[in-house]
Amino acid sequence: MAPIVAFHLAQTGLHAYVAAWFGLLSRRRPDAPEYRLFAALAFFIGVATLGTAILVDARSVHQAAGGERLLYAGLCFACAAFPLFVGTLIGDRRPWGRWLAAPCAVFGCLAMAGAFCDPSFAGAGYDGSRGDPAAALVTPLGIVAIAWSALAGLASTWMLARSARADRTMRIAVVAAGLPMLAGVFDLVSRVFGGPSVHAAMTGTSLLIVSLSYVLLQRLVAVDVSLERKTRELETAHATLQKAQEDLVKKEQLAAVGELSAVIAHEIRNPLAILKNAASGLSRERIADEDRETLLTILDQEADRLNQLVNDLLAYASPLVPDARPVDVVGLVELAARLAMESHPRAKEGIRVVVRADNPSLAWGDPSLLRHALINIVDNAILAMPAGGVVTVTLSDVVERGRPFVSIAFTDEGEGMDTLVRQRARDVFFTTRSTGTGLGLAIVDRVARVHRGRVEIESRHGHGTTVTLYVPRERGSRPPPLG
């Protein structure tokens, strides 16, 4: 094997390696099409270099024709990929690259079909002694294709040179793009004046591939460094934001505790006065059994009222950190309804809770927090029906904005709410009942938010109320917000 043939084969291996490396890189970076186009450019130049090796080593006209077929097909396809690559590299979205590339791609297909090579031009006496019958094999169509491909390369190099004014890293690419042009001129002059055919243009294309690889790798490193720096900045900003959010939540909780303390101070006075009066009555030496029973009942009721205030305070002021797991929603709703009914013994005869479930999926949440929220909803529904009625609970699977939820809708037959009351129903400390603390639905809303769900209220005065709790069916990809 002649040294020049081995040299061209080595160039072919280099181009194949670069094409494979950047092809794999393009799969990891699908948002960077320049890697994919450069891999195509390196591959087609490798095809042209392989054709050159076959052409130089040919010992017959037919062997030379096969080499030229690969050479010109590879060059035409490479000249089709080069304008597209340059346009992507410099961020130029105008269609000039496609206009230049389309004819080159057509010429590449014609070259593969053998339209550029006519072995009869070489003469019957060719025996490989001249080492290169290329000039004798090219057809007029091939000459047109070479001219257009050269024009596409020159135009792309010009666009690359214009971008190099603002981007210094492009200057290496501009110089490298000019090397195949100069080497091609040298080959043409050498052929015209009968000099040796060394195929310097192919060496120029190898230098182009190496230089462009350096430019792309330099840009890749710069992008990675920039991404790493931005990642650190984002991590720092996220940590700062999370700290600020935690501080804000603590301040909001302290403010809520202060406001709640004022409400409790106001609400506790009446029960304490009643308890004091009842205790004074029980301390008398002579008291009728009927009066004693009444006073004990009052003590019990007011103690329960104070206990409810304390429980609501603890429930609202404590941070909510859900311990999420798969939850049987139907069983949880039935348990919450039973517990709520037990806290209203007088309502057992006049109120029923009906659960309608169409095989809902398991929810993803904290059973304890969800049970507390469900009890509060059922408790409100019972209190809304002093004359009795039916609380209907409907469970179903829904999908909203691509996220799956279990919908739990509680519908009562109470007096309902007007527009103003409905808008403020979830506000902290807002209540229309003399014995309420205004924290029931506020707690429900917090539980829904820490589960990345929500609460909806539909009501019309005199037509009952529907409170719907949406609980996710799947584990979220982000951590839950602080409650």
Side-chain angles (χ1 to χ4, degrees):
M1 179 184 298
I4 187 64
V5 176
F7 177 67
H8 288 313
L9 289 178
Q11 288 178 302
T12 302
L14 171 66
H15 297 148
Y17 174 78
V18 172
W21 197 90
F22 279 94
L24 293 175
L25 180 61
S26 69
R27 293 179 62 87
R28 297 179 57 186
R29 300 288 182 93
D31 56 334
E34 62 267 23
Y35 298 137
R36 182 170 59 255
L37 291 171
F38 183 67
L41 175 64
F43 173 77
F44 289 124
I45 289 180
V47 171
T49 307
L50 178 62
T52 302
I54 295 174
L55 180 63
V56 172
D57 195 47
R59 290 295 177 267
S60 70
V61 173
H62 292 286
Q63 289 179 359
E68 278 215 339
R69 181 178 299 186
L70 286 178
L71 169 62
Y72 290 120
L75 287 177
C76 289
F77 282 125
C79 289
F82 189 55
L84 300 176
F85 167 71
V86 170
T88 304
L89 187 66
I90 65 178
D92 192 338
R93 298 176 179 269
R94 290 177 296 177
W96 61 268
R98 293 191 293 272
W99 295 344
L100 292 173
C104 292
V106 173
F107 288 139
C109 294
L110 293 174
M112 286 297 296
F116 294 178
C117 305
D118 187 354
S120 64
F121 286 5
Y126 176 74
D127 58 0
S129 59
R130 295 195 302 272
D132 185 1
L137 296 179
V138 182
T139 64
L141 180 61
I143 295 174
V144 172
I146 293 172
W148 180 266
S149 299
L151 175 63
L154 285 171
S156 302
T157 304
W158 169 251
M159 297 301 294
L160 197 62
R162 291 183 59 185
S163 69
R165 298 174 184 175
D167 187 354
R168 293 184 178 181
T169 60
M170 290 296 178
R171 296 178 182 178
I172 299 177
V174 175
V175 174
L179 292 177
M181 310 290 178
L182 296 176
V185 172
F186 173 81
D187 285 341
L188 180 61
V189 172
S190 177
R191 189 182 302 277
V192 170
F193 290 97
S197 179
V198 296
H199 292 281
M202 301 314 301
T203 303
T205 57
S206 297
L207 294 175
L208 171 65
I209 292 299
V210 172
S211 301
L212 290 178
S213 298
Y214 172 77
V215 171
L216 288 178
L217 290 175
Q218 193 176 34
R219 295 183 63 174
L220 178 64
V221 171
V223 169
D224 286 343
V225 170
S226 176
L227 286 176
E228 185 178 356
R229 184 179 67 255
K230 291 181 179 179
T231 299
R232 289 197 300 267
E233 292 175 355
L234 286 174
E235 289 175 349
T236 302
H238 179 266
T240 304
L241 180 61
Q242 190 173 27
K243 180 66 168 56
Q245 183 183 16
E246 292 174 356
D247 293 341
L248 180 61
V249 169
K250 290 178 181 178
K251 291 178 181 178
E252 289 179 347
Q253 289 173 350
L254 290 175
V257 169
E259 191 175 353
L260 181 60
S261 300
V263 173
I264 289 180
H266 174 75
E267 292 290 336
I268 206 171
R269 285 181 182 143
N270 287 337
L272 283 177
I274 295 172
L275 288 172
K276 183 176 181 180
N277 291 335
S280 298
L282 289 173
S283 65
R284 289 180 298 179
E285 294 182 359
R286 294 183 181 181
I287 182 173
D289 292 340
E290 183 178 350
D291 293 338
R292 181 182 292 106
E293 184 66 27
T294 300
L295 292 173
L296 289 173
T297 301
I298 291 174
L299 286 173
D300 186 61
Q301 290 176 348
E302 296 305 316
D304 287 343
R305 181 178 174 184
L306 291 175
N307 186 57
Q308 183 64 41
L309 285 172
V310 173
N311 287 338
D312 285 347
L313 170 63
L314 293 175
Y316 188 79
S318 301
L320 300 184
V321 181
D323 181 15
R325 69 194 72 173
V327 178
D328 177 10
V329 188
V330 177
L332 201 61
V333 168
E334 293 174 346
L335 174 61
R338 185 171 69 253
L339 294 176
M341 291 290 288
E342 289 176 354
S343 64
H344 296 274
R346 296 180 181 178
K348 286 186 176 180
E349 296 180 0
I351 293 178
R352 293 187 302 117
V353 178
V354 178
V355 180
R356 296 176 178 174
D358 186 18
N359 296 323
S361 304
L362 296 177
W364 186 267
D366 187 318
S368 178
L369 294 179
L370 292 176
R371 182 177 68 247
H372 191 180
L374 296 174
I375 290 174
N376 281 356
I377 298 175
V378 177
D379 185 69
N380 283 345
I382 292 173
L383 293 175
M385 300 186 299
V390 179
V391 180
T392 303
V393 187
T394 305
L395 295 92
S396 58
D397 291 343
V398 297
V399 177
E400 295 188 354
R401 296 181 180 181
R403 293 187 61 204
F405 291 90
V406 175
S407 167
I408 313 171
F410 296 81
T411 304
D412 63 52
E413 298 176 347
E415 66 270 20
M417 311 176 190
D418 57 30
T419 302
L420 179 60
V421 173
R422 185 177 66 254
Q423 290 177 347
R424 298 193 58 192
R426 282 174 284 192
D427 291 352
V428 181
F429 313 121
F430 177 78
T431 180
T432 57
R433 301 188 181 95
S434 59
T435 59
T437 62
L439 289 170
L441 284 178
I443 293 173
V444 173
D445 188 59
R446 286 187 68 204
V447 171
R449 283 189 288 108
V450 299
H451 283 86
R452 297 199 181 279
R454 72 178 193 280
V455 178
E456 290 184 354
I457 302 175
E458 297 179 7
S459 182
R460 284 194 305 159
H461 188 65
H463 292 81
T465 301
T466 298
V467 178
T468 305
L469 175 62
Y470 292 89
V471 184
R473 300 203 313 254
E474 298 176 354
R475 181 200 300 266
S477 57
R478 294 180 298 169
L482 295 175

